[in-house]
Amino acid sequence: MDVGKRLRQLRDQCGYSQNNLAERAGVAQTHLRNVELGKADITVSHLRLICDALAISLKDFFNVDDEQEELSAAISRLSPKQKRILLDFLKTI
């Protein structure tokens, strides 16, 4: 699992910017950015702080099925306008 990609996925799902999540978790924004980019590792204690800020457990952080990961990756490639259209569509079903 790519921890940086998973972290960004969860951050995006919560609608947090890097600055916002870093502030909520009490970690440096530059470190968070470097972890997401794969340029730095993260300690378990920092990951726990981030998970707390995201209101998830460490287990939930690492519990991803392939279908969900594929869907999240596809959504992350959408433009902001396409994301709004998709969200509007999903609300109708």
Side-chain angles (χ1 to χ4, degrees):
M1 167 187 276
D2 185 321
V3 172
K5 285 182 182 178
R6 176 70 171 149
L7 184 54
R8 180 170 181 176
Q9 171 195 32
L10 292 168
R11 179 177 61 76
D12 286 343
Q13 285 176 0
C14 289
Y16 295 150
S17 67
Q18 285 180 344
N19 285 336
N20 187 264
L21 179 57
E23 185 177 307
R24 288 174 174 268
V27 300
Q29 184 272 335
T30 53
H31 182 62
L32 180 60
R33 181 183 70 235
N34 287 332
V35 169
E36 286 187 5
L37 293 173
K39 294 181 178 180
D41 293 325
I42 190 166
T43 64
V44 173
S45 60
H46 276 168
L47 186 57
R48 182 171 287 128
L49 290 171
I50 291 169
C51 286
D52 287 346
L54 294 169
I56 63 169
S57 68
L58 282 171
K59 180 182 176 191
D60 291 336
F61 182 90
F62 290 104
N63 189 19
V64 179
D65 62 35
D66 292 336
E67 189 173 282
Q68 180 181 353
E69 194 167 318
E70 184 180 347
L71 181 59
S72 295
I75 291 170
S76 71
R77 292 188 296 268
L78 297 175
S79 71
K81 181 179 179 180
Q82 290 171 321
K83 287 178 183 178
R84 282 191 303 276
I85 292 168
L86 177 58
L87 184 58
D88 289 343
F89 168 74
L90 291 174
K91 287 177 181 178
T92 66
I93 57 174

